[in-house]
Amino acid sequence: MAQQNSVASDLFTSAFSADTVVSHFWVGSSPFFETTLFITPPFKSSETQSSKIELYDADGTLVNELEASFPEGEVGVFELSQVLSRCKLESGLRHGHLIVTSKKGSNHRCRIFTKEGASFLGQPSHVSDNQGTFFPVTFSEDRSSLLAVVNHKADPISIKLRLFCGQRAPDTYCIVPGYASRLFGVEEEFSDVVADLGDRSLQGYLRLGAKREASYGVQLIERASAGGSGALYTTVN
Amino acid sequence: MSSATTRTIVHFYPSAGSVTAPYAANCKLTIFGDNVEAQSITLEGARLSYPDGIRLEDIFVSLREGVSSSFGVIIEVSSIQPRVDLSGSQCVVELASKGQSVRFHAKRYTEPLRNPLENKDLAEDVEAAKESLPREVLPILGISDSFSDSSFVVANGSDEPWTPEVSNCSGDTVQGTFTEVAPGSVVEFALDEKSFSDNSNQATSWGEVSKGTLYITNSPNDSIAMYACYRDRKTKRQVAVSTL
């Protein structure tokens, strides 16, 4: 299967090598939310648009690779539950690293929705050896935060994650295999900082960096209670 | 935004790339809008590689007065350290409501070169070449379904008025209420489903969705920022904002 995928990948590569736009996303599926991909066509597009969609599971195994075609001028809508079902469970849900390749001028967006509502999943912030990133995070009893990481390269990476919160700045390291995705509960990783929060609310900041030759995307997903057992998910767009 | 239920927080991260020494950094915030007094305040005490943030109503008294309005904010990060490249700095704007926040990256403004070309003729040629390049076309994904309605916001921080020119995918101009945005003002244009629909409503697992793409064909200069905005259909609150 791996070899067949490699051959198929080469064929796709030759068709999509020039004038393309590539996007990396973290995508997930659970009993509580689903993810959908939207592909907008280039301006004044006069032909059927084709996009290559590759999905790597949480361990970096290519589990799905396909070409999706949409009529000229239309926004392509692709419900990812169809392909995420092949991903293994990790951190309690099926998730993976999605790579979308389309003709230059196209635009890719992912949307996450629950019973209560929908929000767009921003593209993960890109981190490389000379460019880190940061996220504001709110700690409170009605919110929780997940950090989603997708490794853009075939080699495993070690990422350093530091939380700035009040007078404290603890850090931790995480390993992400090649092409894999990982999900980290921020409250769990820094449980000492948020212990005994009670009904208070705390503002903190996560700072992420990378070692030489690493290239990865990271996104903060905030889950907020929406009354009862419902929830809304938002990210930084 | 500033209203009874929503406050704006600006989070910034002064970054000099591989330079990690905690040199001092400043953050200058300038607000503008139709119902807001234009004002600038510089925050000192920030450090390179240390994220920080401020709730705007804590420093701008005019925002505490309870007038509900949309306004623009310009965030400038600087350092007195010479030879420090701050182009890696980042900024996230948060519209905070009780129980939920919408966060998005602010549009980047590229500062002109500090050391202009010494050869004046060459400098003029460079500027002329830049003007002759085709302007970038900016797409806006329009969605109308049981969850969301779409709009786009123009924050005009420049000294001149600007009117968006909006087309559909075929290049036909879309007639709509895309009026002139005065200098120093912020306007949100609701996107009518008829204006963006690509006429192929799609049945999905969450219901029928009307979708399509609009294009801003006269992308403005750096002092004007545009954002796609998606509101919850029931509550009308923003659920996602993204830079165009």
Side-chain angles (χ1 to χ4, degrees):
Chain A
M1 178 59 78
Q3 189 174 3
Q4 285 178 355
N5 282 344
S6 173
V7 169
S9 184
D10 288 344
L11 289 173
F12 279 126
T13 299
S14 64
F16 288 93
S17 56
D19 295 325
T20 56
V21 58
V22 183
S23 299
H24 296 258
F25 291 99
W26 174 89
V27 292
S29 172
S30 86
F32 309 108
F33 69 83
E34 293 294 344
T35 319
T36 304
L37 172 67
F38 290 82
I39 303 174
T40 63
F43 184 50
K44 292 189 181 177
S45 167
S46 57
E47 55 192 18
T48 302
Q49 48 168 351
S50 294
S51 298
K52 173 184 171 188
I53 298 172
E54 300 167 275
L55 179 65
Y56 294 83
D57 73 4
D59 289 335
T61 303
L62 181 67
V63 296
N64 241 310
E65 183 175 25
L66 56 104
E67 181 180 343
S69 295
F70 305 103
E72 136 197 1
E74 285 187 20
V75 172
V77 180
F78 191 86
E79 295 196 63
L80 293 168
S81 54
Q82 308 169 50
V83 294
L84 280 164
S85 59
R86 297 190 67 180
C87 290
K88 54 176 76 79
L89 284 170
E90 197 273 335
S91 300
L93 49 90
R94 299 185 193 283
H95 66 94
H97 174 193
L98 184 80
I99 304 177
V100 186
T101 305
S102 303
K103 189 177 169 189
K104 187 178 175 182
S106 304
N107 199 261
H108 309 132
R109 304 292 308 274
C110 272
R111 192 182 188 215
I112 188 170
F113 69 93
T114 66
K115 285 188 311 181
E116 285 72 28
S119 176
F120 277 98
L121 264 180
Q123 274 207 51
S125 297
H126 182 225
V127 180
S128 59
D129 57 353
N130 61 355
Q131 180 58 58
T133 194
F134 88 114
F135 293 101
V137 58
T138 303
F139 297 108
S140 71
E141 61 176 1
D142 58 354
R143 302 189 195 198
S144 60
S145 298
L146 296 170
L147 201 66
V149 180
V150 291
N151 184 350
H152 292 183
K153 293 195 169 181
D155 296 322
I157 54 170
S158 169
I159 60 177
K160 180 178 174 182
L161 177 63
R162 171 157 279 178
L163 173 68
F164 297 84
C165 192
Q167 301 300 318
R168 304 183 65 177
D171 59 25
T172 185
Y173 289 84
C174 317
I175 304 287
V176 183
Y179 292 130
S181 62
R182 281 290 183 269
L183 213 54
F184 305 102
V186 178
E187 286 79 6
E188 286 74 35
E189 293 292 326
F190 299 100
S191 53
D192 290 344
V193 175
V194 299
D196 303 322
L197 192 62
D199 57 0
R200 291 183 303 140
S201 178
L202 269 183
Q203 177 70 60
Y205 294 96
L206 291 167
R207 186 185 77 188
L208 296 98
K211 292 192 177 170
R212 191 166 292 280
E213 292 178 0
S215 174
Y216 66 92
V218 59
Q219 178 58 278
L220 187 79
I221 303 162
E222 182 179 87
R223 179 185 182 280
S225 300
S229 58
L232 289 167
Y233 292 86
T234 57
T235 67
V236 179
N237 279 275
Chain B
M1 281 190 64
S2 176
S3 71
T5 56
T6 303
R7 296 285 185 257
T8 301
I9 305 171
V10 169
H11 307 281
F12 54 93
Y13 174 46
S15 172
S18 53
V19 175
T20 56
Y23 295 127
N26 295 332
C27 180
K28 179 180 171 187
L29 299 165
T30 304
I31 60 171
F32 62 90
D34 289 332
N35 296 325
V36 167
E37 178 191 350
Q39 203 178 350
S40 289
I41 291 179
T42 298
L43 304 174
E44 296 176 351
R47 297 261 164 211
L48 290 190
S49 304
Y50 280 71
D52 207 336
I54 188 84
R55 196 166 58 170
L56 292 184
E57 66 169 10
D58 288 346
I59 55 172
F60 293 105
V61 175
S62 56
L63 298 180
R64 290 184 215 156
E65 286 160 7
V67 176
S68 179
S69 64
S70 294
F71 61 94
V73 56
I74 301 172
I75 305 121
E76 298 173 64
V77 175
S78 61
S79 174
I80 59 172
Q81 282 294 322
R83 292 187 298 276
V84 164
D85 177 8
L86 293 177
S87 57
S89 299
Q90 296 165 39
C91 174
V92 169
V93 177
E94 177 178 352
L95 304 178
S97 307
K98 185 172 162 43
Q100 188 188 354
S101 287
V102 173
R103 299 185 180 100
F104 56 97
H105 291 281
K107 182 199 165 180
R108 293 180 80 82
Y109 168 68
T110 307
E111 187 182 324
L113 291 172
R114 289 185 185 175
N115 300 309
L117 294 169
E118 287 184 2
N119 183 328
K120 187 169 177 291
D121 290 336
L122 187 56
E124 285 174 352
D125 287 345
V126 167
E127 284 305 312
K130 279 163 61 175
E131 285 294 318
S132 69
L133 286 173
R135 289 192 175 263
E136 190 184 359
V137 172
L138 301 174
I140 309 170
L141 171 63
I143 287 192
S144 180
D145 62 6
S146 57
F147 290 128
S148 308
D149 288 319
S150 311
S151 61
F152 79 96
V153 176
V154 178
N156 186 352
S158 73
D159 298 327
E160 296 181 1
W162 183 76
T163 306
E165 292 173 8
V166 183
S167 298
N168 60 18
C169 188
S170 305
D172 302 322
T173 301
V174 172
Q175 302 299 331
T177 54
F178 304 117
T179 54
E180 178 182 276
V181 182
S185 67
V186 178
V187 176
E188 181 172 357
F189 297 102
L191 294 182
D192 182 79
E193 185 182 326
K194 296 192 190 67
S195 67
F196 64 72
S197 173
D198 58 16
N199 298 317
S200 64
N201 285 7
Q202 184 154 337
T204 65
S205 58
W206 70 88
E208 194 163 271
V209 59
S210 177
K211 34 68 177 187
T213 314
L214 293 178
Y215 300 83
I216 308 291
T217 54
N218 62 331
S219 58
N221 64 42
D222 279 342
S223 299
I224 299 174
M226 292 188 292
Y227 299 89
C229 179
Y230 302 92
R231 290 181 180 267
D232 182 271
R233 179 159 271 219
K234 294 187 197 122
T235 65
K236 304 301 178 194
R237 280 163 58 172
Q238 286 111 339
V239 292
V241 176
S242 59
T243 312
L244 295 186

